[in-house]
Amino acid sequence: MHAQIILFDGFDPLDVVAPYEVLTAGGTASGGAVTVELVSAEGPREVVSGTGGPALRATAALAPDRPGLIVIPGASGRVGDPADAPTDAPADGAGTPGSTGADESIPVLLGRTLNTRLPALLKEAMVHPEVVVAGVCGGSLVLAMAGLLAGRRATTHHMGLDTLDATGVHAVRARVVDDGDLVTGAGVTSGLDLALYLLEREVGPRIAHAVEELFAHERRGTVWRAEGPEPAPF
């Protein structure tokens, strides 16, 4: 399984590094069955994270037709009203990469991705039968604001669940939600749990368990799936 982790200006470093380390460790534990790279919509470049954090280097352009896994993180910045973020992607997907200011809000940073090529590339990935798209924290909102999650089940940071629901998504208050070829995680540290679950699902539980032991981290919560009887209200 090849995993492409997307970088965009203002990304949250933990949303990227946590899945990167888990999946890379999974590759080691599986003898190379998992490979990981950092990508951007624009191709190889230095990408600045949010709140004045570190820059990471994307080594390739996002390839939406490459079988495997695509992970999109959230943003790091001031906590703002999610309603301030735009909910429609521009028709042409135009835009150029740029720097971010430490005073910018998370909704603004997430919304800015709509002015890049990222929505068009993600749209291609979402319809590819051999691609699983995963969102960490605000990454789900990027997909939703681009109009790609209507009718799907997903989660995000608890402060963004109402916004997720307003875009036509069935928002689920869970740490990890598995909706088939779409898997999403909630708050920022859920990137660890999301990646561990993906290792278990795609490579096997023994590999995922080995990485859990290595990281001294036990995956939290029940992964929500649309299976089994619907629970009665309490």
Side-chain angles (χ1 to χ4, degrees):
M1 176 180 71
H2 184 70
Q4 301 179 77
I5 302 180
I6 298 170
L7 301 178
F8 58 83
D9 294 313
F11 71 88
D12 187 302
L14 186 55
D15 288 2
V16 170
V17 174
Y20 182 89
E21 291 215 24
V22 168
L23 294 170
T24 298
T28 301
S30 63
V34 182
T35 55
V36 191
E37 67 178 335
L38 301 179
V39 302
S40 81
E42 299 78 23
R45 69 181 182 98
E46 295 291 321
V47 187
V48 180
S49 63
T51 58
L56 294 177
R57 179 163 182 78
T59 58
L62 172 62
D65 58 348
R66 181 168 185 174
L69 175 66
I70 292 175
V71 180
I72 179 166
S76 177
R78 284 191 300 105
V79 176
D81 185 351
D84 294 338
T87 56
D88 295 304
D92 60 2
T96 55
S99 61
T100 64
D103 61 341
E104 290 182 300
S105 72
I106 291 173
V108 168
L109 292 169
L110 294 176
R112 188 173 292 156
T113 65
L114 303 183
N115 296 315
T116 71
R117 294 190 62 241
L118 187 56
L121 293 171
L122 289 172
K123 183 177 182 179
E124 289 184 50
M126 292 288 292
V127 298
H128 195 289
E130 295 181 271
V131 173
V132 174
V133 175
V136 183
C137 195
S140 305
L141 291 173
V142 171
L143 292 163
M145 291 187 298
L148 301 176
L149 296 191
R152 302 296 299 265
R153 294 174 174 87
T155 192
T156 189
H157 191 282
H158 64 88
M159 295 182 70
L161 286 170
D162 288 345
T163 300
L164 196 63
D165 194 64
T167 63
V169 180
H170 300 296
V172 181
R173 191 176 289 272
R175 192 160 175 84
V176 176
V177 172
D178 183 341
D179 196 40
D181 59 357
L182 170 70
V183 184
T184 53
V188 288
T189 58
S190 69
L192 287 166
D193 300 332
L194 175 76
L196 284 165
Y197 173 68
L198 288 166
L199 274 183
E200 177 184 343
R201 196 183 92 157
E202 302 296 327
V203 185
R206 295 175 67 181
I207 298 300
H209 180 261
V211 176
E212 269 194 348
E213 283 198 310
L214 177 67
F215 283 18
H217 172 80
E218 294 182 357
R219 203 176 77 212
R220 291 171 49 196
T222 300
V223 174
W224 188 95
R225 296 187 296 271
E227 297 177 5
E230 186 171 348
F234 291 103

